[in-house]
């Protein structure tokens, strides 16, 4: 029986949460941890080993260098450069310039890697495209719209007083201010419903900030989204995840149906308003990518 290995790059809040969830869930047999320094990776691996022993998990963690992650079946990238985000709105875009060099360097090291790569680093749609283009890897997906979709279903269920599992609906486009709520195709218990879009948009906009204000930053939610995507990409179960993938000449969140680990992206039915919003989001992400790729590097900015 083959051993399933999942690598985690990043020992910060999200990387720690993802790695701990992997130890507890049993999705993988081995968890390889890499970070900015070997000391950070070793410290997290030791903490995870304590968790494994205390919880009786059979999943074994180990620190490693980034280059060794090519032996893994999947790699989760949850790095974050050191920077201060001063944005009051569209906050995820605040990390684009700082995180891009880190993602570019990782893409160079993991170039041609044949396994699944899940990008968590924000702005996730831009970082997913950047990694895919630089690395040449084929199975690259961004985590973001699946978390937005989970939040959407929770919010709508709470408003309507129903169980979240009865809600069927997607959030696509950009993980952030350009998110597109597919209200026209949303059903509850198999029936179409009137979605209170203003209330839903406000909840999706404010929820991450409330979490960050209370506990520093979101971490458990992204970890859950990673686990759900891993189960499907590793062929442990079939199903649909809303992930950042190629869409025309840009990358953005779309539903992806996994069958025995094989992905097939598609768009849900959209009404005219939703299609206009998706087109606007696509243009915005394309322009942001162009700015990111043509911006001067650190050496050019200091000359």
């Amino acid at each position: 029986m083959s051993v399933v290995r999942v690598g985690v790059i990043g020992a910060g809040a999200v990387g720690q949460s993802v790695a701990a969830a992997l130890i507890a869930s049993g999705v993988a047999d081995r968890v390889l941890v890499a970070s900015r320094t070997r000391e950070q990776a070793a410290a997290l691996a030791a903490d995870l080993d304590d968790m494994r022993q205390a919880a009786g998990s059979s999943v074994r963690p180990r620190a490693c260098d980034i280059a060794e992650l090519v032996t893994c079946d999947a790699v989760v990238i949850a790095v974050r450069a050191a920077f201060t985000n001063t944005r009051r709105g569209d906050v995820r875009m605040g990390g684009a310039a700082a995180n891009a060099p880190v993602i570019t360097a990782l893409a160079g090291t993991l170039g041609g890697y044949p396994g699944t790569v899940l990008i968590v680093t924000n702005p996730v749609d831009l970082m997913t495209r950047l990694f895919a283009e630089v690395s040449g890897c084929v199975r690259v997906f961004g985590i973001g719209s699946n978390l937005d979709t989970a939040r959407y279903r929770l919010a709508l269920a709470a408003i309507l007083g129903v169980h979240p599992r009865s809600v069927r609906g997607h959030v696509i486009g950009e993980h952030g201010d350009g998110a597109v709520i597919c209200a026209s195709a949303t059903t509850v218990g198999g029936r179409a419903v009137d979605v209170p879009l203003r209330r839903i948009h406000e909840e999706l906009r404010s929820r991450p900030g409330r979490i960050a204000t209370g506990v520093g930053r979101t971490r458990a939610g992204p970890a859950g989204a990673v686990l759900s995507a891993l189960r499907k990409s590793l062929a442990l179960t079939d199903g649909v995840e809303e992930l950042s993938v190629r869409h025309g000449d840009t990358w953005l969140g779309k539903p992806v149906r996994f069958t025995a680990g094989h992905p097939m992206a598609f768009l849900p039915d959209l009404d005219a308003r939703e299609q206009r919003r998706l087109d606007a989001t696509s243009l915005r992400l394309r322009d942001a990518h162009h700015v990111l790729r043509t911006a001067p590097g650190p050496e050019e900015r200091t000359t």
Side-chain angles (χ1 to χ4, degrees):
M1 185 175 179
S2 61
V3 174
V4 177
R5 296 179 175 85
V6 173
V8 178
I9 306 178
V14 176
Q16 292 174 27
S17 297
V18 168
L22 286 168
I23 296 295
S25 69
V27 166
D29 302 297
R30 303 286 186 271
V31 175
L32 276 62
V33 179
S35 189
R36 184 178 297 111
T37 68
R38 188 61 183 251
E39 290 75 19
Q40 287 177 331
L44 178 53
D47 196 26
L48 294 170
D49 210 23
D50 291 347
M51 178 186 182
R52 175 184 72 89
Q53 177 62 26
S57 170
S58 63
V59 184
R60 297 183 182 179
R62 179 169 62 82
C64 71
D65 296 323
I66 291 171
E68 189 180 343
L69 295 177
V70 296
T71 65
C72 291
D73 299 279
V75 174
V76 181
I77 298 180
V79 297
R80 183 183 187 275
F83 72 97
T84 300
N85 196 340
T86 59
R87 286 189 176 226
R88 292 177 178 266
D90 201 12
V91 294
R92 294 176 183 87
M93 280 292 182
N99 287 329
V102 180
I103 294 297
T104 299
L106 290 175
T109 302
L110 297 174
Y113 168 67
T116 296
V117 179
L118 298 180
I119 307 291
V120 187
T121 305
N122 276 317
V124 67
D125 301 289
L126 290 185
M127 297 301 103
T128 303
R129 178 177 182 178
L130 182 62
F131 184 93
E133 291 180 343
V134 175
S135 70
C137 298
V138 176
R139 291 175 61 89
V140 182
F141 307 96
I143 299 294
S145 290
N146 53 349
L147 180 55
D148 292 333
T149 296
R151 289 169 172 165
Y152 170 48
R153 293 172 180 172
L154 277 173
L156 186 58
I159 291 170
L160 299 180
V162 300
H163 196 285
R165 289 183 182 175
S166 69
V167 179
R168 293 288 181 268
H170 307 281
V171 178
I172 63 174
E174 180 190 0
H175 179 47
D177 289 4
V180 180
I181 297 172
C182 302
S184 64
T186 296
T187 62
V188 174
R191 297 182 178 183
V193 294
D194 291 327
V195 177
L197 279 173
R198 181 172 297 181
R199 291 178 64 182
I200 295 294
H201 273 297
E202 174 56 26
E203 173 61 16
L204 294 186
R205 186 199 65 78
S206 64
R207 188 180 183 91
R210 295 199 309 270
I211 294 171
T213 298
V215 295
R217 65 168 304 170
T218 58
R219 59 194 78 197
V226 166
L227 280 187
S228 184
L230 279 174
R231 288 190 178 97
K232 296 174 180 68
S233 65
L234 293 173
L236 301 179
T237 186
D238 292 343
V240 174
E241 294 285 324
E242 294 76 16
L243 300 170
S244 189
V245 294
R246 182 187 294 277
H247 175 74
D249 58 355
T250 191
W251 286 63
L252 48 71
K254 294 169 65 173
V256 180
R257 180 174 289 108
F258 286 90
T259 305
H262 299 290
M264 179 64 68
F266 65 95
L267 275 179
D269 293 333
L270 304 175
D271 64 19
R273 182 197 59 81
E274 293 161 354
Q275 185 62 59
R276 287 193 300 270
R277 187 171 177 87
L278 183 64
D279 292 342
T281 292
S282 179
L283 179 61
R284 163 188 157 86
L285 287 171
R286 187 172 70 236
D287 290 347
H289 174 75
H290 176 74
V291 170
L292 186 67
R293 295 304 299 268
T294 57
E299 292 183 2
E300 295 174 275
R301 287 195 292 266
T302 57
T303 58

